[in-house]
Amino acid sequence: MNPSKRARFEIKIYKLCESSSGYCIRFKIYVGTDKIPGTDIPASESVVLEVAQPILKKGYTLYMDNWYSSPQLFLKLLKQNTDVVGTVRKNRRHMPKELASLKLKKGEAKMLSSNSLLALR
């Protein structure tokens, strides 16, 4: 928690929702820690892997924002027949350094691919 934020107490609810109807398939309420004890899996990854359990290995596509996204998580989900689309922070661990340091002009784009992953800037 960030002590400089106005609200000192907060409730987080992680939800897995169906995109066209908004139907909530599964949710998890934050209870102080999201990290799986005894593992080195980051909290953002463990939340996704836990909440997405009902749709894994069924060919669905997950859409997520940059707090959850990482190349490592995307590869884990791909191994479970689950495609992923999401924004990724350029300083996220395992992101290609070349992509983060690019200076692009208006209208330009750069793409890198590896191990069934595609990164686009």
Side-chain angles (χ1 to χ4, degrees), residues 73-108:
L73 174 61
F74 286 11
L75 288 171
K76 287 178 184 177
L77 291 167
L78 279 172
K79 287 180 184 174
Q80 296 195 44
N81 193 27
T82 304
D83 293 327
V84 189
V85 176
T87 57
V88 182
R89 296 176 185 181
K90 62 183 177 182
N91 61 349
R92 176 75 74 176
R93 190 180 337 166
H94 305 295
M95 280 300 292
K97 303 293 182 225
E98 175 189 338
L99 204 59
S101 63
L102 283 175
K103 302 291 186 220
L104 300 175
K105 295 177 183 162
K106 188 174 181 176
E108 287 184 326

Side-chain angles (χ1 to χ4, degrees), residues 32-120:
T33 183
D34 295 321
K35 194 166 171 65
I36 299 171
T39 68
D40 61 347
I41 298 173
S44 59
E45 284 185 31
S46 63
V47 166
V48 171
L49 293 171
E50 181 181 344
V51 174
Q53 279 300 315
I55 65 161
L56 297 179
K57 300 179 183 171
K58 295 183 180 177
Y60 286 102
T61 301
L62 281 175
Y63 293 86
M64 59 184 72
D65 72 10
N66 65 28
W67 190 81
Y68 305 96
S69 299
S70 74
Q72 195 171 348
L73 174 61
F74 286 11
L75 288 171
K76 287 178 184 177
L77 291 167
L78 279 172
K79 287 180 184 174
Q80 296 195 44
N81 193 27
T82 304
D83 293 327
V84 189
V85 176
T87 57
V88 182
R89 296 176 185 181
K90 62 183 177 182
N91 61 349
R92 176 75 74 176
R93 190 180 337 166
H94 305 295
M95 280 300 292
K97 303 293 182 225
E98 175 189 338
L99 204 59
S101 63
L102 283 175
K103 302 291 186 220
L104 300 175
K105 295 177 183 162
K106 188 174 181 176
E108 287 184 326
K110 177 70 176 176
M111 174 195 75
L112 295 174
S113 63
S114 174
N115 295 328
S116 303
L117 297 179
L118 173 72
L120 178 66

Side-chain angles (χ1 to χ4, degrees), residues 6-25:
R6 207 170 101 199
R8 287 185 42 219
F9 304 100
E10 60 184 285
I11 296 174
K12 287 185 193 175
I13 300 175
Y14 303 106
K15 296 189 333 180
L16 174 66
C17 299
E18 196 276 330
S19 62
S20 61
S21 68
Y23 177 79
C24 180
I25 298 168

